[in-house]
Amino acid sequence: EDQVTQSPEALRLQEGESSSLNCSYTVSGLRGLFWYRQDPGKGPEFLFTLYSAGEEKEKERLKATLTKKESFLHITAPKPEDSATYLCAVQWLRGTYKYIFGTGTRLKVLA
Amino acid sequence: DAGVIQSPRHEVTEMGQEVTLRCKPISGHDYLFWYRQTMMRGLELLIYFNNNVPIDDSGMPEDRFSAKMPNASFSTLKIQPSEPRDSAVYFCASSLVGNSYNEQFFGPGTRLTVL
């Protein structure tokens, strides 16, 4: 069964304390892996798309990487404004364009 | 662009009543998705459309739920009759397949409370 698992469920960091979020998947035939950020009371906001193992994408303090079975979202020297829920989603090759979402990691960065 | 527009933003209704949620996708997008988000189950896909045609409704929980897309700029999700377990945040998203990042753009959501 296709599954997407994110860990940890919740993470508290001090400002400046770097860490990584994990997204592992068992989808056979990956079309793409997506990272989104969701703030309370808002819809998910797109961050990155990764298509193949070894690919990396960066945006400000965030860097996403992809292997054949998992993706990491690295947060370098986070700030309080990085506090949000980070969601990953996978899209697979079986002729559809729908996502399977993970349950997310709730990140809190303390000043 | 105004982004994906959803209405209402909040809906409170009583069990047994009909609820209609509305969505206007981004102009030019060819896919539209309806999701439901709860603490217990996270973000679940309910149904999606391609060029106004329903492609996959396997996520629709039961016959009380129905969705339509009469034209490229409007979609509705209807629940009739509503039940307390339908309480959730409902998101609409749209995308243009073939763009660089293949991402979906989400609306602000409708928070539904069924009493």
Side-chain angles (χ1 to χ4, degrees), chain A residues 6-101:
Chain A
Q6 290 189 248
S7 62
E9 288 187 14
L11 183 63
R12 290 166 69 92
L13 299 173
Q14 292 293 324
E15 184 173 3
E17 179 186 3
S18 301
S19 188
S20 296
L21 314 182
N22 178 263
C23 172
S24 63
Y25 59 94
T26 58
V27 172
S28 55
L30 182 74
R31 182 191 299 274
L33 185 141
F34 304 81
W35 282 99
Y36 283 79
R37 169 190 171 128
Q38 185 175 24
D39 293 300
K42 295 188 176 181
E45 179 183 343
F46 171 74
L47 292 173
F48 304 110
T49 305
L50 300 164
Y51 289 110
S52 56
E55 190 174 359
E56 298 183 353
K57 294 279 180 68
E58 283 190 71
K59 180 180 179 180
E60 297 181 356
R61 295 175 293 281
L62 300 177
K63 184 168 84 171
T65 61
L66 181 65
T67 72
K68 287 187 177 180
K69 292 296 182 186
E70 60 189 348
S71 176
F72 292 94
L73 184 65
H74 307 279
I75 305 177
T76 302
K79 298 181 178 182
E81 53 262 42
D82 295 322
S83 298
T85 295
Y86 290 85
L87 298 164
C88 78
V90 299
Q91 198 179 58
W92 66 107
L93 284 170
R94 290 198 302 268
T96 74
Y97 288 93
K98 63 183 183 183
Y99 288 170
I100 300 175
F101 272 95

Side-chain angles (χ1 to χ4, degrees), chain A residues 31 34 36 38 41-46 48-49 51 57 87 91 95-99 101-103 106, chain B residues 9 31 33 35 37 39 41-43 45 48 56 58 91 97 99-108 111:
Chain A
R31 182 191 299 274
F34 304 81
Y36 283 79
Q38 185 175 24
K42 295 188 176 181
E45 179 183 343
F46 171 74
F48 304 110
T49 305
Y51 289 110
K57 294 279 180 68
L87 298 164
Q91 198 179 58
T96 74
Y97 288 93
K98 63 183 183 183
Y99 288 170
F101 272 95
T103 51
R106 296 188 309 278
Chain B
R9 293 294 312 278
Y31 278 78
F33 305 82
Y35 291 89
Q37 188 174 42
M39 287 295 294
R41 300 175 67 87
L43 201 56
L45 178 67
Y48 76 97
D56 184 345
S58 59
F91 288 102
V97 170
N99 65 357
S100 301
Y101 301 110
N102 201 18
E103 75 272 35
Q104 295 180 14
F105 295 82
F106 283 77
R111 180 172 296 277

Side-chain angles (χ1 to χ4, degrees), chain B residues 17-90:
Chain B
Q17 296 298 305
E18 178 179 298
V19 175
T20 299
L21 311 182
R22 296 172 177 80
C23 175
K24 176 179 170 55
I26 293 172
S27 176
H29 281 191
D30 54 358
Y31 278 78
L32 184 139
F33 305 82
W34 281 101
Y35 291 89
R36 177 172 68 177
Q37 188 174 42
T38 61
M39 287 295 294
M40 290 296 295
R41 300 175 67 87
L43 201 56
E44 302 174 283
L45 178 67
L46 300 176
I47 185 172
Y48 76 97
F49 296 82
N50 175 218
N51 291 325
N52 314 337
V53 177
I55 302 300
D56 184 345
D57 66 354
S58 59
M60 296 285 259
E62 47 197 277
D63 292 345
R64 297 184 297 106
F65 286 69
S66 62
K68 294 182 179 179
M69 192 166 184
N71 57 63
S73 59
F74 184 65
S75 178
T76 60
L77 178 68
K78 185 177 294 186
I79 309 172
Q80 166 64 17
S82 58
E83 295 183 4
R85 59 194 168 117
D86 301 330
S87 298
V89 181
Y90 291 81

